[in-house]
Amino acid sequence: MAEAVDLLKRLIATPSVSRQEDVAANIMETALEKYGFECRREKNNVWAVSPDYDVTQPTVLLNAHVDTVRPVSTWKRDPFVPDLSDGRLYGLGSNDCGGGLVSLLQVFRVMSSRVRQYNLVYLASAEEEVSGNDGLSRALPLLPKIDVAVVGEPTGLQPAIAEKGLMVLDITAHGRSGHAARNEGVNAIYEALDDMLWLRDFKFEKVSSLLGPTLMTLTVVNAGTQHNVVPDRCDMVVDVRTNELYTNEEVFDIVRSHMRSDVSARSFRLHPSHIDENHPLVRRCVEMGLKPFGSPTLSDQALMPFPSLKLGPGESARSHSADEYVRIDEIENAISTYIELLDGLTL
């Protein structure tokens, strides 16, 4: 635990906003090499494979990210100065997800020296906060085949076995400009109204026991240039959070079929995720007294084409907030929980 906390302090003191993680990646690379592992790197993604890797065995990925969001303006502390006070370590990225990052490294170190019926890969990935193309997506093709992953996001050390996906829709209603005084043209705002009401009122039929309903929220509307010109275009942005019972593509097709306006998706790649409740990793969590739940927040799980669960120290509510912190006992408990979960695991 002491080494995990020391490493986390160094990471907090190293600004690592998404796409600027190179120095933090250097620190992780040095830490892995210090423990005797052969470190590999692609851009700012750093990983190591357990030395006893056996191609005939399944492989477990231990993953957390090195990048952070930018600090909000309401920090009372310096976000880049690690401050240990009353058992709390304050600093940007301490909770999201530095605690999981350093805990999983120590677990990888411990479990690599123990007899297992599976391989281990530890990956400190980049660009998670922006779902960037040079993050996990860039590293995954270079890793051995992964069978299941543990993602060290802050979950209060309870297993999140499902996670909502994200899709952003751009919707455009078209009209025809004219002079407002003569009631000319076709008002694009009025053309958009029925679509707005449908977006507000529509309920998706499939409701998840873990994640609840798929949600759509109209978040941005832009139209018009000045008060006396009938607008010929109304642009809307819709935030869609999909549960595991729909793919992003299915939701897109449903929305488009009900819209008079033009609809496009910025991306389909951030899928909802779900691991079967009967998976050995989930069963092991339940045997340990942990309580599976569904998470509304997005992580790199959305980019993983294999089963995964989120389990990590800290609380999601502290993420992206001023004076972010992780408790030292949370890191200690995380290390022991991970080891208990993995020791003797059979896949």
Side-chain angles (χ1 to χ4, degrees):
M1 186 196 72
E3 294 201 21
V5 172
D6 180 67
L7 177 59
L8 182 52
K9 288 179 178 178
R10 282 185 280 145
L11 289 168
I12 289 170
T14 305
S16 54
V17 173
S18 302
R19 299 192 175 97
Q20 300 173 29
E21 315 98 334
D22 51 319
V23 180
N26 292 344
I27 291 173
M28 296 306 299
E29 195 170 8
T30 300
L32 280 164
E33 290 172 346
K34 169 190 169 184
Y35 293 136
F37 296 107
E38 180 183 348
C39 187
R40 305 175 192 183
R41 181 167 179 171
E42 175 67 18
K43 298 288 280 190
N44 292 326
N45 304 284
V46 176
W47 70 92
V49 179
S50 52
D52 57 352
Y53 179 80
D54 181 347
V55 71
T56 66
Q57 298 282 2
T59 299
V60 177
L61 173 66
L62 307 179
N63 168 243
H65 62 89
V66 299
D67 62 314
T68 72
V69 296
R70 296 185 181 278
V72 295
S73 61
T74 49
W75 274 81
K76 295 182 175 64
R77 295 170 166 82
D78 187 328
F80 301 112
V81 173
D83 180 6
L84 184 56
S85 176
D86 296 325
R88 296 177 174 183
L89 180 57
Y90 292 88
L92 183 65
S94 56
N95 180 77
D96 184 15
C97 66
L101 182 73
V102 299
S103 299
L104 284 173
L105 174 58
Q106 295 304 319
V107 172
F108 178 71
R109 176 189 178 195
V110 170
M111 293 304 301
S112 288
S113 65
R114 296 190 181 181
V115 176
R116 291 163 280 101
Q117 301 302 312
Y118 56 87
N119 304 303
L120 275 176
V121 176
Y122 174 80
L123 169 64
S125 52
E127 297 193 7
E128 188 274 345
E129 296 291 2
V130 293
S131 301
N133 290 324
D134 284 335
L136 183 89
S137 295
R138 183 160 185 142
L140 279 184
L142 304 176
L143 303 183
K145 178 184 177 294
I146 304 298
D147 293 275
V148 67
V150 177
V151 180
E153 293 281 346
T155 66
L157 274 181
Q158 300 299 324
I161 64 170
E163 177 185 271
K164 281 196 169 180
L166 169 64
M167 179 172 56
V168 179
L169 301 179
D170 292 300
I171 300 178
T172 302
H174 298 280
R176 189 175 69 253
S177 62
H179 200 300
R182 292 195 291 268
N183 197 28
E184 293 175 342
V186 176
N187 194 316
I189 298 175
Y190 298 160
E191 293 294 298
L193 285 178
D194 287 343
D195 289 343
M196 291 184 189
L197 291 173
W198 183 85
L199 290 165
R200 183 193 69 179
D201 297 336
F202 182 77
K203 307 296 182 187
F204 288 92
E205 180 181 352
K206 300 175 187 177
V207 178
S208 166
S209 60
L210 289 164
L211 297 174
T214 289
L215 299 177
M216 295 189 297
T217 306
L218 179 62
T219 54
V220 178
V221 177
N222 286 310
T225 56
Q226 58 191 65
H227 76 90
N228 57 354
V229 177
V230 173
D232 61 0
R233 181 185 178 105
C234 180
D235 294 306
M236 298 164 276
V237 177
V238 178
D239 179 282
V240 182
R241 304 287 170 156
T242 43
N243 65 26
E244 81 280 14
L245 304 178
Y246 292 94
T247 66
N248 288 340
E249 290 85 350
E250 286 172 333
V251 170
F252 176 79
D253 289 340
I254 291 170
V255 173
R256 187 171 57 176
S257 70
H258 287 85
M259 293 283 107
R260 293 177 59 192
S261 305
D262 296 335
V263 184
S264 63
R266 296 183 185 177
S267 171
F268 295 114
R269 65 194 287 262
L270 301 178
H271 298 287
S273 62
H274 176 251
I275 185 171
D276 193 288
E277 294 181 42
N278 291 315
H279 190 282
L281 201 61
V282 179
R283 290 205 309 267
R284 185 65 172 254
C285 286
V286 173
E287 290 167 3
M288 292 168 56
L290 306 180
K291 297 181 180 179
F293 72 102
S295 171
T297 57
L298 193 71
S299 76
D300 271 341
Q301 283 182 285
L303 303 173
M304 294 180 178
F306 40 77
S308 62
L309 60 78
K310 283 193 300 195
L311 179 68
E315 299 290 345
S316 180
R318 297 179 206 150
S319 301
H320 304 182
S321 64
D323 299 325
E324 177 186 352
Y325 68 88
V326 67
R327 296 201 319 265
I328 301 303
D329 64 344
E330 290 174 325
I331 294 175
E332 183 176 24
N333 290 339
I335 293 171
S336 60
T337 298
Y338 287 138
I339 291 175
E340 183 179 356
L341 176 65
L342 294 170
D343 203 12
L345 176 68
T346 302
L347 295 174

